[in-house]
Every structure is written in C-alpha cells, then in structure tokens.
Amino acid sequence: MSGPTREADFAALADDPAPAHTARVPRPGDALATAPARFGEVAKLASVEIGQVRMVHGAAAMLALSVLADSGIEHSRGQYHNPAMFTPLVSASLSILASADGALRSERAAHPLRLAAYGIAMVVGVVGTAFHVYNITKKPGGISWENLFYQAPIGAPAALSLSGLLGLAAEGIRNETPGESPRLLGLPAAPALAGLTALGLMGTTAEVSLLHFRGNFQNKLMYLPVALPPIAAALTAEAALRPHRRARPQAKLWLGITAALGVAGVAAHAYGTSRYSGGWRNWRQNLVDGPPIPAPPAFSGLAMAGLAALALLERHGDD
C-alpha cells in the first residue's frame, strides 16, 4: 500500500476514533466520576426520609408528654395509693427520651434501646387501659355513663400505647433500605401509619366527646374538637385505604387544622382553669379539678403523624 493511502486511512481513523462496532473501554476515573452522583442520590433520599422519621418521633413525644403531665395530675389526685400508678410516668418519660434521641440522630438504623422504650410504652398503655376498665366495672353500676364520666379515663393509657406504636413506626421507617418502600410490622409503612393516625384521631375524639358532654358543652367552642378531627380522620383513613402516589391537599389542610386545634385547646383549657374559684392563685386545686390542660396536644401529635404518613404515601404509595 502506498504512503498517501496509508495517510488517508489514518486521517479517517482520527475523524472516527470509536467506530460503532467497537466497545468503549472503561477508564479508571469513570467510577470516581459517577460515585458522587450516586452518593448524592442516596444522601438526598436519606435526608428526605429522615424528615418524616423526625415528624413521627415528634408525634410520639407529644403524645407521651401529654400522658406524662395528665397522668401526673390525675394520679396525684389519687395520692398514688397503688404503686402501679407510677408506671405510666416512668414509661412516658422513657418514650420522650427515646423520641428526642431518635429525632436528633440521622443514622438509617433502628436502635434497640429506643425500640425497647417504645415497646414498653405500648405494653404499659394496654395494661393501663385494661386496668382502668376493670376499675370502672368494680364501681356500683359498672360500665355506666356516670362511671365513664367521673372514673379513671380509658383514653389516657391508650394514648401511651399510641405513643409507643408511633415510635416503633418511626424506627421502622428509619430502618428502610434505600430504594425500597419502608415496612411496619410487615405492612407498607405509609398506609399503616395513616390508618393508625385515623384510628387515634377517632379514639381521641370519642374521649373528648365524653368529657365535653359531661361539661354540657357550656361553651360553644367545645364542639370544635368533637366536629373537626373526624374530618381529618376520614380523609386520612381514605388515604390509608387508597394508597396512591398523589398529593392530598384536603387531608393536609384538615390535619393542619387539627394540629392547630390541639394548641388552641391548651389555651382554652388554661382559660377554663383560671375561671375556677381562686384562679391561678389556687392552681394546685384547680389543675386537678379544672379541664385537663395537657390533653389537647394529643390532637397535634396525631396530626403530625398523619402529615408524615401523607408525605410517605406521595413517595411510596404505589410501591
């Protein structure tokens, strides 16, 4: 082959250095070049998911704090005649500590101590509910309206169980494998958390309805926590039953209203307490006899859990 022909061939190869039939040879720097992008995707997923984890831990803490304060007041009225009355105080405190630790940490792994604290709260709440029901049945008349009005509240220990369940849900979401839908007790975590929130809202509403009926709804504002949270519960239940990956602005709106209602309820109950004889100067007696100030934040905690569930459904609803 003549020299000019060889030069023309080399020129053609220079114009097309990688023909279609030639496989591209990987270069040593390719893996390093794509690694930051992959790491960024995982890190972004972790940062988004940890936001919902922290919301659910916060919800568990609010419920536990409500139980701690309310049980402390109610059990002090009973002068702790049964040593078991200290149990919910200890368990609620452990749940609060576990929630604070879980909210502050960003690792993608459940911690056995947090799981133990939440499990204890769940069990103590179940036992406390059974114990309160048993105490009501021992009273003259058994399960009657009067005993339900004035004896040990059934909803308070149930709220402690809800705190434990929400904490376990937060740990289950945290323990998710990147790229996979989180699970809770073998179920998809997002609809399970939404369903738990709906049940919690309805149970809390039932307890509030009972106590506000005892108060004869003397203030028209007392109808709000009876009428509004069931709307949020129904919308959240619909999201649990139809877990499609889509936005739910109405459910978010009503959950936000329910969260605000819990905060407003604290102010309303504090005002109601101030109207008792002696006002805040007689706070020791009026905190016991007046409307329970620590109770309304249970609505806010459950609403936070519902909002976290909706956020998870938008990401994993079709998984």
Side-chain angles (χ1 to χ4, degrees):
M1 184 179 294
S2 63
T5 303
R6 287 196 300 271
E7 292 176 1
D9 293 338
F10 286 131
L13 289 173
D15 292 336
D16 186 14
H21 63 275
T22 304
R24 183 179 180 276
V25 179
R27 297 178 182 177
D30 288 348
L32 294 176
T34 57
R38 293 197 301 270
F39 178 79
E41 291 177 2
V42 174
K44 183 179 179 181
L45 176 64
S47 65
V48 171
E49 205 76 75
I50 203 66
Q52 280 94 56
V53 169
R54 285 171 174 158
M55 285 184 68
V56 182
H57 276 303
M62 290 190 72
L63 281 172
L65 183 60
S66 176
V67 172
L68 175 63
D70 196 27
S71 297
I73 293 172
E74 293 296 325
H75 288 185
S76 65
R77 176 164 60 181
Q79 297 181 348
Y80 294 96
H81 68 276
N82 188 331
M85 297 171 77
F86 287 101
T87 306
L89 307 184
V90 175
S91 177
S93 299
L94 291 175
S95 184
I96 293 170
L97 291 174
S99 298
D101 181 74
L104 292 174
R105 298 182 183 274
S106 58
E107 73 271 7
R108 302 187 64 89
H111 196 283
L113 291 180
R114 291 196 297 264
L115 292 173
Y118 289 134
I120 291 171
M122 185 176 64
V123 172
V124 169
V126 171
V127 173
T129 302
F131 193 74
H132 282 199
V133 172
Y134 173 70
N135 279 342
I136 290 174
T137 60
K138 291 199 308 180
K139 302 296 180 182
I143 298 179
S144 62
W145 285 115
E146 183 175 359
N147 286 337
L148 289 174
F149 285 153
Y150 296 105
Q151 298 304 319
I154 298 175
L160 183 58
S161 289
L162 273 175
S163 173
L165 282 171
L166 289 177
L168 292 175
E171 291 297 284
I173 299 168
R174 178 194 298 276
N175 206 33
E176 170 204 2
T177 301
E180 296 182 4
S181 177
R183 313 288 292 181
L184 174 60
L185 300 177
L187 300 172
L193 181 58
L196 178 62
T197 299
L199 290 174
L201 285 172
M202 291 307 299
T204 305
T205 301
E207 180 80 5
V208 171
S209 300
L210 183 68
L211 296 179
H212 284 195
F213 182 75
R214 183 184 71 181
N216 200 29
F217 291 96
Q218 55 183 330
N219 188 321
K220 300 304 180 185
L221 293 176
M222 296 171 71
Y223 285 102
L224 293 180
V226 175
L228 300 185
I231 301 175
L235 292 171
T236 308
E238 186 273 338
L241 295 173
R242 300 174 61 189
H244 305 303
R245 196 194 303 256
R246 59 185 176 86
R248 292 177 170 84
Q250 290 186 341
K252 292 178 182 178
L253 172 63
W254 282 101
L255 284 170
I257 291 172
T258 302
L261 189 65
V263 176
V266 174
H269 282 198
Y271 173 71
T273 300
S274 70
R275 298 185 61 190
Y276 276 62
S277 177
W280 285 107
R281 294 188 302 275
N282 188 27
W283 64 271
R284 290 181 182 273
Q285 182 66 32
N286 289 342
L287 280 179
V288 174
D289 295 335
I293 295 176
F299 278 127
S300 301
L302 288 167
M304 284 178 59
L307 290 170
L310 294 181
L312 286 169
L313 281 171
E314 289 182 15
R315 298 185 58 229
H316 301 289
D318 297 328
D319 295 351

